């Protein structure tokens, strides 16, 4: 995998999200979800940007049938928009509860998928629908 990364033309994936309430979004993603701050820049006119690290990034492309399947498995009904952000976490149940307590809206509770992950769906700040997923297999 490391050779694939070093040979790739694309070196990094950045998802850029506009947040009307910048401070609330930073608190949710940095402080509550636990994404470490990479950099913060304040520019003229009150312009703010903060990059948060999210570990390894992938671009997961699905067709409409797969999107419907994921919605059915995670939520039990069709709720996705064109973009959903998924975060791998160590404790999907605990992290889901903590984020809901902090104001995220629960769309679908942690549910085991056929591919052995525990997935929860949330409405989060900055207009993002997110999935928290915990890999259940130990990698064997």
């Amino acid at each position: 995998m490391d050779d694939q990364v070093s040979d790739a033309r694309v070196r990094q994936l950045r998802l850029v999200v506009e947040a009307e309430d910048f401070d609330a979004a930073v608190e949710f993603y940095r402080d509550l979800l636990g994404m470490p701050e990479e950099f913060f820049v304040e520019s003229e006119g009150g312009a703010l940007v903060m990059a948060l690290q999210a570990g390894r990034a992938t671009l997961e492309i699905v067709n409409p049938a797969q999107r419907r399947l994921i919605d059915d498995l995670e939520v039990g009904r069709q709720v996705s928009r064109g973009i959903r952000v998924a975060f791998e976490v160590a404790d999907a149940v605990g992290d889901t509860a903590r984020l809901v307590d902090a104001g995220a809206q629960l769309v679908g509770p942690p549910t085991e998928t056929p591919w052995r992950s525990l997935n929860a769906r949330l409405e989060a700040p900055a207009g993002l629908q997110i999935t928290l997923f915990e890999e259940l297999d130990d990698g064997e």
Side-chain angles (χ1 to χ4, degrees):
M1 178 83 106
D2 289 335
D3 289 338
Q4 289 176 336
V5 172
S6 65
D7 292 339
R9 288 186 192 162
V10 175
R11 300 291 184 193
Q12 183 179 154
L13 170 67
R14 283 205 181 161
L15 178 64
V16 180
V17 178
E18 178 184 357
E20 288 293 325
D21 189 337
F22 182 84
D23 292 334
V26 166
E27 179 183 4
F28 184 86
Y29 294 105
R30 183 190 62 196
D31 303 337
L32 296 170
L33 189 54
M35 299 172 70
E37 183 177 321
E38 184 170 327
F39 64 80
F40 172 73
V41 176
E42 185 171 358
S43 301
E44 289 182 29
L48 304 173
V49 60
M50 181 177 293
L52 302 175
Q53 297 174 354
R56 184 176 68 98
T58 59
L59 176 61
E60 184 174 313
I61 301 171
V62 301
N63 70 1
Q66 179 67 19
R67 184 207 40 86
R68 288 189 300 271
L69 173 66
I70 293 168
D71 273 359
D72 288 342
L73 290 169
E74 290 184 3
V75 183
R77 66 188 189 286
Q78 302 302 298
V79 297
S80 286
R81 296 182 289 273
I83 293 177
R84 176 178 47 85
V85 181
F87 297 98
E88 182 178 0
V89 297
D91 178 11
V93 172
D95 287 336
T96 298
R98 193 170 43 77
L99 295 177
V100 167
D101 287 346
Q105 179 186 358
L106 183 66
V107 178
T111 303
E112 186 173 336
T113 68
W115 43 87
R116 299 277 306 134
S117 63
L118 191 60
N119 294 21
R121 188 77 64 92
L122 302 166
E123 288 288 347
L128 292 179
Q129 191 175 90
I130 67 172
T131 293
L132 299 183
F133 70 98
E134 173 185 349
E135 297 293 355
L136 298 175
D137 287 334
D138 58 10
E140 293 181 5

